[in-house]
Amino acid sequence: MSDAWTRGVVVGIDGSPEATHAFDWAVAAADRHHARLRAVHAQTVPIGPVVPLPAYDPDALDAEVDTILRRALGRALPRPAGAKDIESTVSIGPAAAVLVEFSRDADLVVVGRRGAGGGQSVLGSVSSATAARAHGPVAIVPTTARGLAPDRVVVGVDLDDDPTPALEIAFAEARACGRPVELVHAMEPATQVARAAGAGEEPEIHAELKALTAFWADRYPDVACHATARPGDPATVLRDQVTAFDLLVLGGRHHQRAVGRLLGSVPDAVLLDAPCAVVVAHTRKLTGTDQRLAGFPGR
């Protein structure tokens, strides 16, 4: 991912403290990456055989979101010279569905979340649903997150999967903030089959992490980085590794969206209690235009 985000940043707003906190974070992220910011307010219009359809007044909805946006901007710190204007949009539909749709064309979608310790009910929230179903990277910003720029970027590395999407976001954000990157790998107990095959042993893991760190240090020579491997399950290791002043980046989905929640257990578990902003780096499916620009043969 380039330091300049040409697709832009989208943030969900609804006037709540959680959304306002996420809005502040999104403004800072957009400014760091010279990106436009779109603030999206989702409006659900109830319909049914008994409840009559309320009058749909686009002007009233625009006025509502403009009021919310003005309040958020009134809290924002002064923006740097050349910062792009913030746009606002009112969309009809459930908030998670609206944000998932915007994720098709955004570099990053930002959603607020209540602080750590929300319990299992968080799994049904807008933030969790957006993180699970999005087409591209999503940042979940809890109210416990501190600072508009992280002190450190921590990225979870699964050596059995391609960590490139997560590492691209982590290093781009670290360079934009002038912060270091820490690669963290959780060493789960190896199965008997894996041990018999010689896999899952610490020397092998540390060698792979060393090679991975060297590769990315060569790509980003101006970003300090190091790697660490700790025993334990990934969700616990990652939560214990971060503070409210960090940014945590996790690998996202490489499989079909229909099974995303079943196979996305680590992001779901981390999102329950992470004290800092968490980016889930889903691999974006290339459009026909993207494929041509990337040099893929057309169909």
Side-chain angles (χ1 to χ4, degrees):
M1 174 177 280
S2 169
D3 288 355
W5 292 352
T6 58
R7 293 174 178 267
V9 177
V10 171
V11 59
I13 59 171
D14 60 8
S16 68
E18 297 86 1
T20 302
H21 190 63
F23 175 86
D24 293 343
W25 191 94
V27 170
D31 290 346
R32 283 195 297 273
H33 294 278
H34 313 289
R36 68 183 185 277
L37 176 65
R38 181 181 296 275
V40 176
H41 178 73
Q43 179 70 42
T44 301
V45 178
I47 57 175
V50 178
V51 180
L53 176 67
Y56 171 50
D57 186 346
D59 292 335
L61 291 178
D62 286 342
E64 178 183 356
V65 74
D66 285 343
T67 298
I68 293 172
L69 183 61
R70 283 198 302 271
R71 289 174 180 171
L73 283 173
R75 299 178 63 258
L77 296 174
R79 303 181 67 201
K84 298 182 181 296
D85 292 338
I86 299 174
E87 304 172 0
S88 62
T89 298
V90 177
S91 294
I92 302 301
V98 167
L99 293 172
V100 166
E101 187 61 27
F102 272 98
S103 73
R104 292 180 183 273
D105 300 311
D107 284 300
L108 184 70
V109 169
V110 182
V111 190
R113 178 179 69 79
R114 284 187 293 276
Q120 293 297 321
S121 62
V122 174
L123 289 176
S125 68
V126 171
S127 59
S128 181
T130 304
R133 297 165 50 203
H135 300 274
V138 178
I140 306 301
V141 184
T143 54
T144 51
R146 294 293 175 260
L148 299 180
D151 287 351
R152 183 181 55 147
V153 180
V154 178
V155 54
V157 174
D158 181 355
L159 297 176
D160 293 326
D161 203 352
D162 180 12
T164 300
L167 289 170
E168 283 182 340
I169 291 178
F171 275 85
E173 184 69 356
R175 182 158 65 184
C177 298
R179 298 293 192 267
V181 172
E182 180 173 355
L183 284 66
V184 178
H185 174 73
M187 297 184 295
E188 297 184 271
T191 64
Q192 291 182 350
V193 174
R195 287 188 182 276
E201 300 296 339
E202 287 196 33
E204 177 186 351
I205 290 172
H206 287 294
E208 289 188 52
L209 285 174
K210 183 178 180 180
L212 188 64
T213 303
F215 175 81
W216 284 90
D218 185 61
R219 289 188 61 181
Y220 290 84
D222 51 345
V223 176
C225 64
H226 72 280
T228 183
R230 298 185 181 278
D233 70 275
T236 301
V237 168
L238 291 169
R239 283 197 302 262
D240 291 346
Q241 197 69 17
V242 295
T243 73
F245 294 90
D246 294 327
L247 171 66
L248 177 59
V249 183
L250 305 175
R253 182 185 52 250
H254 299 273
H255 41 78
Q256 296 180 357
R257 294 175 63 238
V259 294
R261 292 305 294 275
L262 295 176
L263 301 183
S265 58
V266 171
D268 264 350
V270 171
L271 288 175
L272 282 173
D273 297 307
C276 62
V278 179
V279 172
V280 181
H282 293 305
T283 301
R284 186 186 305 280
K285 181 179 180 181
L286 296 180
T287 64
T289 300
D290 292 332
Q291 290 177 349
R292 290 191 294 272
L293 291 174
F296 289 92
R299 291 185 178 274

